[in-house]
Amino acid sequence: MATSILKILVVFLSILSPGVLSKYQLPFQLDTLVLPVTKDSATSLHVTNIQKGTPRAATPLLVDLSNKFLWIDCERNYTSTTYQFPFCHSTQCSRVGNHYCHNCSAPARPGCHDNACAVMTTNPLTHWNVLGELGQDIVSIQLAHGPTSGVFVDVPQFIFSCAPSRLLAGPLPKDVVGVAGLGHNPVAIPHQLASHFGFRPKFGLCLPSSNKGNGVIFFGKGPYELDPGYDTVSHPIVGYTPLTIGPRGGYHIQVTAINIGKKALPFDISSFFRTKRGSFAKALISTTTPYTTLHHSIFMAVTKFFGDQLSWAPQIQPPVSPFGLCFNTSNIATSRMGPAAPSIDLLLQNENVTWTISGANSLVLARPDVWCLGFVDGGIKPRNPIVIGSYQLENNLLEFDLARSRLGFSNSLLFKRTTCATFNFTSTP
Ligand SMILES: *[C@@H]1O[C@H](CO)[C@@H](O)[C@H](O)[C@H]1NC(C)=O
Ligand SMILES: *[C@@H]1O[C@H](CO)[C@@H](O)[C@H](O)[C@H]1NC(C)=O
Ligand SMILES: *[C@@H]1O[C@H](CO)[C@@H](O)[C@H](O)[C@H]1NC(C)=O
Ligand SMILES: *[C@@H]1O[C@H](CO)[C@@H](O)[C@H](O)[C@H]1NC(C)=O
Ligand SMILES: *[C@@H]1O[C@H](CO)[C@@H](O)[C@H](O)[C@H]1NC(C)=O
């Protein structure tokens, strides 16, 4: 099975780039794929770009770790000639899970057919749900490394939801036409690529901290090399922690305690969830929440304790909204590693597995002369006591190993003298 796929791809790749690739140049590595990621400065959200449809069109999509599949606004400008829609009760339809049989009264177009499979499609910013038509079309994705890096391979019948324009609302980055769902679902992007290419469901996320360069999402085996020139980043993962899946398909980790400036936060965060297997607070990892959002009581404790650890720096009153603690930049030294702030350690399954949030990921330049602690008050009844937001994920490599149900994390790559924007997308064989 795997061999025949490989043969077909060899033929395909030879056609795609004659003279560059032939079967005599085997072995090539069709085991790791990459997508670029940019940061939108207006919204602080991250956007990927997928080549899609016939003719191929660059399709900017919001990166959403919790969404169950890729969805696109098909009403406005989806003109691909290779669009197909699986019928209701088809195998493709049942792969998605919840679905409905749907007729469309308007003239047929992508997103509007009779006897189609309709799936509940979610906007992560507005939390709106509407029915989208399940569709299939070609997607082209770039190979990561080896002699074929820079070459695109096709997934001819990639499954996605073809949604009405009204779903595309909210404070979305300009130009975005849909959402790239990386959540836990058989048709989420990592799972579809894994089953199509026969690699294990695993992906790596490395979000850039500015709009000046591309970050990267890796799919497949790896290694997830950012900048092959640096030995230190050939495997930057410093720890692994168990990954659990939330009811909506999002990824959670378990935080048992928090240290700030190496001192224990005087607040028992593990009281949020007690089971026979231990006590902890569930933390959702979210790319659609710009800043880490904490249950009100955790937020108050963290804000106070962080201020105490940085007592030499006078605070600015009132703090810049939506933050709760701000400082004059002139009191805090800054280096290539970011502002010198007390580290915030999330202690995971035990005290030896620590996700460290350092200055570059904790302090936000809210105004030209004001640093604020980049955490937000989530109120007293949040869905998750901790939501780790995208600012805290930037320039960290996260490895979601869905076959082993674990998350690998690198902590700030700035300490390894690299960033998420060092992957070379233009390299050619
Ligand atoms: C629709 O797509 C075409 C070709 O990609 C592009 O030139 C045009 O600006 C798009 N229109 C809208 C409304 O996005
Ligand atoms: C859709 O239309 C067909 C006939 O065109 C009909 O048999 C079917 O019951 C309709 N389905 C729904 C869900 O209305
Ligand atoms: C920050 O401190 C500098 C120097 O002490 C002062 O000039 C400036 O007004 C302060 N900025 C704010 C926002 O307080
Ligand atoms: C943490 O590391 C220390 C030193 O390596 C070791 O003695 C201790 O057993 C470890 N704790 C756990 C829970 O693994
Ligand atoms: C990326 O790789 C290509 C081909 O190997 C090279 O020409 C180019 O200079 C590289 N870009 C950067 C930014 O290193």
Side-chain angles (χ1 to χ4, degrees):
M1 174 70 179
T3 330
S4 65
I5 290 174
L6 208 67
K7 276 181 191 151
I8 292 164
L9 278 160
V10 170
V11 171
F12 167 74
L13 288 168
S14 326
I15 294 165
L16 189 79
S17 36
V20 176
L21 274 170
S22 77
K23 60 186 167 186
Y24 304 109
Q25 285 167 303
L26 284 174
F28 62 86
Q29 290 163 294
L30 203 152
D31 55 13
T32 312
L33 306 168
V34 284
L35 284 175
V37 189
T38 53
K39 180 172 180 177
D40 175 63
S41 23
T43 58
S44 298
L45 295 170
H46 293 84
V47 177
T48 187
N49 213 311
I50 297 190
Q51 296 291 325
K52 195 164 183 305
T54 307
R56 300 290 181 282
T59 310
L61 303 170
L62 179 70
V63 175
D64 186 358
L65 265 179
S66 303
N67 226 290
K68 289 183 175 171
F69 36 73
L70 189 159
W71 65 259
I72 288 181
D73 166 10
C74 278
E75 219 170 336
R76 213 159 329 194
N77 208 3
Y78 201 87
T79 51
S80 168
T81 57
T82 40
Y83 180 82
Q84 294 173 301
F85 67 101
F87 287 110
C88 197
H89 303 304
S90 61
T91 52
Q92 295 96 316
C93 197
S94 76
R95 257 176 99 186
V96 184
N98 269 347
H99 62 267
Y100 308 86
C101 292
H102 191 66
N103 284 346
C104 185
S105 50
R109 57 158 179 85
C112 182
H113 292 99
D114 280 350
N115 201 17
C117 172
V119 289
M120 200 50 90
T121 307
T122 306
N123 178 318
L125 303 181
T126 60
H127 303 289
W128 288 352
N129 292 299
V130 302
L131 288 177
E133 175 177 285
L134 198 70
Q136 289 184 287
D137 208 339
I138 298 184
V139 154
S140 291
I141 302 199
Q142 195 174 339
L143 289 172
H145 48 62
T148 53
S149 66
V151 169
F152 283 78
V153 289
D154 284 358
V155 183
Q157 295 187 312
F158 195 89
I159 296 173
F160 66 103
S161 168
C162 209
S165 292
R166 70 194 141 93
L167 187 59
L168 201 65
L172 283 163
K174 211 172 132 272
D175 301 333
V176 153
V177 297
V179 164
L182 302 172
H184 188 69
N185 184 277
V187 297
I189 298 172
H191 288 274
Q192 263 196 86
L193 294 178
S195 64
H196 183 79
F197 290 106
F199 51 61
R200 74 196 237 175
K202 194 176 134 190
F203 68 99
L205 181 74
C206 208
L207 301 178
S209 61
S210 78
N211 58 4
K212 294 196 181 68
N214 283 321
V216 55
I217 308 174
F218 296 95
F219 298 95
K221 180 162 167 277
Y224 300 160
E225 282 178 319
L226 288 161
D227 184 346
Y230 283 103
D231 283 349
T232 46
V233 295
S234 59
H235 190 76
I237 300 299
V238 298
Y240 289 96
T241 194
L243 200 55
T244 58
I245 306 300
R248 292 175 176 78
Y251 301 106
H252 291 92
I253 57 171
Q254 303 175 355
V255 180
T256 52
I258 297 178
N259 288 352
I260 298 180
K262 307 278 178 224
K263 295 201 187 77
L265 180 74
F267 181 82
D268 180 14
I269 70 153
S270 71
S271 61
F272 280 93
F273 199 80
R274 292 192 193 283
T275 68
K276 289 201 184 88
R277 299 184 61 189
S279 305
F280 51 83
K282 270 192 186 168
L284 174 74
I285 305 174
S286 172
T287 52
T288 54
T289 309
Y291 303 102
T292 291
T293 305
L294 302 172
H295 182 285
H296 178 70
S297 50
I298 307 179
F299 175 80
M300 295 306 281
V302 166
T303 307
K304 164 99 178 39
F305 201 55
F306 191 91
D308 292 349
Q309 303 305 306
L310 210 72
S311 55
W312 72 86
Q315 295 175 16
I316 286 182
Q317 296 296 347
V320 181
S321 172
F323 307 112
L325 179 66
C326 298
F327 305 91
N328 189 323
T329 50
S330 60
N331 296 300
I332 297 174
T334 307
S335 70
R336 265 193 22 245
M337 265 74 91
S343 61
I344 301 173
D345 293 332
L346 306 181
L347 277 55
L348 305 177
Q349 65 271 37
N350 65 54
E351 72 276 11
N352 292 348
V353 185
T354 304
W355 175 328
T356 299
I357 300 171
S358 45
N361 293 107
S362 65
L363 292 183
V364 177
L365 201 60
R367 285 206 309 255
D369 55 352
V370 179
W371 284 123
C372 294
L373 179 63
F375 289 14
V376 172
D377 188 344
I380 54 169
K381 277 195 172 168
R383 218 177 255 163
N384 297 283
I386 301 176
V387 178
I388 303 178
S390 55
Y391 192 80
Q392 279 68 39
L393 306 178
E394 289 170 1
N395 289 327
N396 284 244
L397 176 64
L398 297 180
E399 184 187 288
F400 295 82
D401 188 339
L402 308 177
R404 297 176 69 168
S405 208
R406 66 176 195 176
L407 174 77
F409 53 93
S410 67
N411 290 334
S412 178
L413 295 171
L414 302 181
F415 290 95
K416 300 190 168 84
R417 295 167 191 224
T418 190
T419 69
C420 286
T422 53
F423 187 85
N424 188 344
F425 282 91
T426 59
S427 66
T428 46

